[in-house]
Amino acid sequence: MSTSTSTNSYATADRPIGLTLPSGIDREAHHRLDEAWLAAAWSHPTTRVFVVSGGQALIDDAPDGRTELVMTPAFEAPVTETHRYFLGTDEDGVRYFALQKDALPGRMDQSARPAGLREAGLLLSPRDAGLLVHAVALENWQRLHRFCSRCGERTVIAAAGHIRRCPACGAEHYPRTDPAVIMLVTDDQDRALLGRQVHWPEGRFSTLAGFVEPGESIEQSVRREVFEEAGVTVGDVEYIASQPWPFPSSLMLGFMARATSAEINVDGEEIQEARWFSREDLRAAFESGEVLPPFGISIAARLIERWYGTPLPKPGDVA
């Protein structure tokens, strides 16, 4: 068994993994408990604010062709004291906050549109994508963890959205992140193992993936998940890169893995079908429309490209 770390933690095949490029934002966690500092930051004229709701925010296309998060000065933002999350400060000293609301605000110019991370993550700058992934992760956690897991009382928000405290028993609760492994498995013929989940459309194939279980190393998780889902045993495991994936709270840990067996036996519960593909097989399947390429924001596309050798076609580029 070998486990190694890529020299580039956020890119493979010379292409960036979505949501992982440096954002240029300093999260300044040491200010989260300083209410006076937060109040001053909120009221500063350069501070910018955006609303997040149901995993979406408003984005807009700028005249120069860029796509941007719709942000406003704090004094123009919707009123909320509780669900106001400090996200950090950029290199120019601009502070950023996200507001969690039940609905996104309307726009008088009608040019902005709501978008989630799967769409916006490919369009936004690293700064805006980093802000949005942070805000969406906090919103998901806040919506799903309103009560104390120790005593059941309703908790209150603290630390600029990064802690929930229980006023009854004093427990503090922090945003959770669930580690998940995602891996491209190759065999001794250098074929790639791709699978189709039960709920996916016909033709959609991607890498295998699954959650790390309690008391399990990530290498053990890679081997277990591949065997459970496809019946294939795995030997060497190489770590490549990670990707935040707040749907609702995962951190995807990407690997290349080498199979020690070739016979496929899918579980039928998570994986409906799995196949070995040579590069020529996969290229022909893309061209015929038999196989649909994975969406580009996911680390799965970069893992496949690392083996494939060239960028994958975009979903709209194939028949």
Side-chain angles (χ1 to χ4, degrees), residues 15-279:
R15 294 237 289 157
I17 295 171
L19 310 179
T20 61
L21 286 173
S23 66
I25 298 294
D26 182 348
R27 295 194 175 194
E28 294 193 300
H30 57 287
H31 287 310
R32 292 173 185 167
L33 295 172
D34 188 339
E35 294 298 333
W37 187 94
L38 291 169
W42 175 261
S43 62
H44 197 279
T46 64
T47 292
R48 290 296 177 262
V49 181
F50 65 94
V51 174
V52 61
S53 179
Q56 292 190 319
L58 291 178
I59 63 173
D60 206 352
D61 297 321
D64 61 5
R66 293 178 297 114
T67 301
E68 301 176 323
L69 274 176
V70 174
M71 301 193 211
T72 65
F75 65 84
E76 294 181 3
V79 177
T80 178
E81 290 294 333
T82 304
H83 295 279
R84 187 169 76 189
Y85 311 142
F86 174 61
L87 304 178
T89 304
D90 70 14
E91 295 169 349
D92 296 322
V94 177
R95 281 90 181 229
Y96 296 90
F97 287 80
L99 302 180
Q100 178 181 321
K101 303 290 285 185
D102 291 333
L104 295 175
R107 291 279 288 175
M108 294 179 63
D109 57 20
Q110 299 299 312
S111 66
R113 64 187 185 276
L117 280 168
R118 285 184 172 89
E119 175 190 355
L122 291 172
L123 302 174
L124 297 172
S125 67
R127 184 203 69 180
D128 284 7
L131 290 169
L132 184 56
V133 73
H134 189 177
V136 167
L138 285 177
E139 185 209 18
N140 284 332
W141 173 66
Q142 294 284 358
R143 289 188 185 278
L144 297 175
H145 295 82
R146 297 178 179 177
F147 297 90
C148 179
S149 59
R150 180 183 294 176
C151 71
E153 289 293 324
R154 181 178 287 274
T155 54
V156 296
I157 296 173
H162 294 76
I163 293 176
R164 292 193 72 100
R165 288 198 179 110
C166 179
C169 71
E172 289 189 344
H173 305 279
Y174 296 85
R176 62 176 294 169
T177 297
D178 301 319
V181 292
I182 183 167
M183 46 274 175
L184 183 69
V185 180
T186 58
D187 68 359
D188 57 5
Q189 300 178 51
D190 204 24
R191 298 178 299 174
L193 178 64
L194 302 179
R196 182 171 67 83
Q197 291 189 18
V198 172
H199 64 276
W200 285 358
E202 194 72 27
R204 177 75 67 201
F205 281 81
S206 189
T207 54
L208 303 183
F211 287 103
V212 179
E213 292 190 348
E216 183 177 55
S217 72
I218 53 178
E219 294 87 357
Q220 289 171 334
S221 182
V222 168
R223 297 187 180 96
R224 175 185 54 77
E225 285 288 348
V226 173
F227 186 76
E228 288 179 354
E229 294 185 349
V232 172
T233 57
V234 164
D236 288 351
V237 174
E238 179 188 7
Y239 171 73
I240 302 299
S242 63
Q243 178 186 41
W245 197 248
F247 303 107
S249 57
S250 298
L251 175 65
M252 306 302 294
L253 306 169
F255 296 86
M256 303 295 287
R258 179 64 79 174
T260 57
S261 69
E263 183 178 352
I264 294 173
N265 184 20
V266 297
D267 62 7
E269 296 181 3
E270 292 186 62
I271 301 299
Q272 181 71 34
E273 180 182 3
R275 293 162 54 185
W276 291 107
F277 290 89
S278 68
R279 292 171 182 81

Side-chain angles (χ1 to χ4, degrees), residues 284-303:
F286 283 150
E287 292 174 351
S288 69
E290 179 187 358
V291 170
L292 304 175
F295 290 100
I297 192 174
S298 171
I299 191 175
R302 301 292 85 78
L303 292 174

